[in-house]
Amino acid sequence: RSYCTGKYRRYLWLDGTIGNVFSLVDSDRYHSKVMLEWTIAALVAIAKMTRRILILPKIINASSDAGIYFLWSLMDYSALEGIVEFRETNFPSNPKAWISRNMPFRHVATTAFLRTNSTIYAQVSDDGGFSHSFRQAWGTNSFEDQERMEAWLGLLVEQPEIDSAELLLVNPDIIEAGYISRLLKRIKRHKELEKLGSKQALGSFEKEIVKIKNLLRWCHDSGYRTSASKVSASHSCYKRGKQE
C-alpha cells in the first residue's frame, strides 16, 4: 500500500463544532445563502494565499441526514481552476491519503477568529499529538475590520509552525452578518477611494475574498434537491452555476 507523502501535503479544512461541516441550521445563519457564499469565499482565499489544497466541506441544511449536501453539488468552482486545488470531502478518510498506516496527518494547526471577543486563536500539534504544541491568542478589539483580517492572514502565512503544518483547520467565525454588512459598505467606499487615488478601505486579504466571491457561481435552485446519500456526478454544479 502506498501513502501520500511529499512537500505538497498542504491541506485546508473548515473547523468548527463539527469538523469540515458548514451548518445552515444554526440560528445566526439559518438558511443564509449569503453567509455560505462569503464563508466559502474566505476559505478559498485562505487556501490560495497560504498555498493549500482546500478539502471541500459538507453543508447541513436540515436537522436530519437527508439535509446533508456535498459542496460540489451547490458550488461551481470552474472559474477557480488553476487558482486553487480542491479535494473531495471524504479525502481524509481514505487511508491512501494518509502519511502513514496509523496517522492521517503528522503536523496539524488549528486557528479560529471568533466574533464574540474579536480574538484570534492558534494551536499547533506535532507528530499527531500535543507534546510539542503551542497555544496562543491575540486580541484585536482595537483594530478595524480590515486590520483584523490582515493580522489573521499574517499569522497563517508568517508563523512557521502554522505555515509548515500539513493540515490547517480554520474556523472563520468572524464571517457573520454584521461583518458582511460592514464589508459591503467598505467595498462601495473602496471603489470610490480607488478613483480618487486615496487610502483604500480594504486590506489585501479582503480584496482576495471579494475577488473569489465574484468568481464563484452557485446552483442554489437545484443543489438542495439531492442530499449527499443520493447524489451522483450528474448532480454536479460544475460549469452550471449562476452568480448570485
Side-chain angles (χ1 to χ4, degrees):
R1 176 183 292 175
S2 61
Y3 296 97
C4 184
T5 61
K7 64 181 179 180
Y8 299 108
R9 288 183 57 81
R10 294 177 57 83
Y11 303 108
L12 183 71
W13 180 318
L14 176 65
D15 197 19
T17 306
I18 306 175
N20 213 30
V21 170
F22 186 83
S23 174
L24 285 171
V25 299
D26 291 356
S27 59
D28 59 348
R29 60 174 75 141
Y30 193 68
H31 297 318
S32 174
K33 298 176 184 178
V34 173
M35 290 283 289
L36 172 62
E37 292 175 9
W38 281 106
T39 300
I40 297 302
L43 286 174
V44 173
I46 292 172
K48 178 184 176 184
M49 301 180 85
T50 60
R51 309 177 313 282
R52 291 184 177 276
I53 298 167
L54 177 61
I55 301 175
L56 296 175
K58 287 182 180 178
I59 309 300
I60 294 180
N61 202 30
S63 57
S64 65
D65 290 344
I68 299 176
Y69 303 87
F70 290 125
L71 185 59
W72 52 261
S73 68
L74 301 168
M75 182 184 77
D76 177 2
Y77 52 85
S78 58
L80 298 177
E81 291 183 330
I83 299 176
V84 175
E85 287 190 54
F86 300 92
R87 293 291 184 273
E88 297 286 353
T89 304
N90 60 359
F91 172 78
S93 64
N94 182 356
K96 290 185 177 180
W98 293 10
I99 190 69
S100 68
R101 181 187 301 272
N102 301 314
M103 188 182 299
F105 304 100
R106 178 168 290 128
H107 310 287
V108 178
T110 304
T111 180
F113 195 166
L114 304 183
R115 74 187 82 163
T116 52
N117 53 7
S118 297
T119 300
I120 299 170
Y121 293 91
Q123 177 174 291
V124 175
S125 68
D126 191 15
D127 293 328
F130 290 94
S131 57
H132 304 288
S133 68
F134 81 82
R135 300 180 186 183
Q136 198 163 344
W138 297 264
T140 65
N141 279 319
S142 62
F143 293 2
E144 299 292 335
D145 279 341
Q146 61 268 39
E147 295 171 331
R148 293 187 180 109
M149 298 299 279
E150 291 299 292
W152 193 26
L153 178 65
L155 172 71
L156 303 184
V157 173
E158 297 176 11
Q159 184 75 37
E161 294 91 344
I162 294 177
D163 180 59
S164 63
E166 291 177 347
L167 176 64
L168 176 61
L169 293 92
V170 172
N171 182 352
D173 184 63
I174 194 66
I175 309 294
E176 46 81 35
Y179 169 79
I180 294 171
S181 176
R182 296 190 300 273
L183 176 60
L184 292 174
K185 291 178 181 178
R186 286 191 293 109
I187 290 172
K188 182 178 179 181
R189 180 60 175 159
H190 179 79
K191 293 177 180 178
E192 295 171 351
L193 291 174
E194 271 192 323
K195 294 178 182 179
L196 298 173
S198 301
K199 182 180 179 180
Q200 298 179 351
L202 300 176
S204 60
F205 187 16
E206 289 182 327
K207 287 180 186 177
E208 194 63 45
I209 293 173
V210 173
K211 179 180 176 181
I212 297 296
K213 171 69 167 57
N214 291 335
L215 285 173
L216 290 175
R217 301 293 185 269
W218 296 86
C219 296
H220 288 304
D221 291 338
S222 60
Y224 295 107
R225 294 175 185 170
T226 309
S227 62
S229 61
K230 299 179 181 179
V231 74
S232 66
S234 64
H235 298 108
S236 173
C237 183
Y238 186 75
K239 289 190 176 181
R240 294 170 46 208
K242 300 177 182 178
Q243 187 172 33
E244 296 295 320

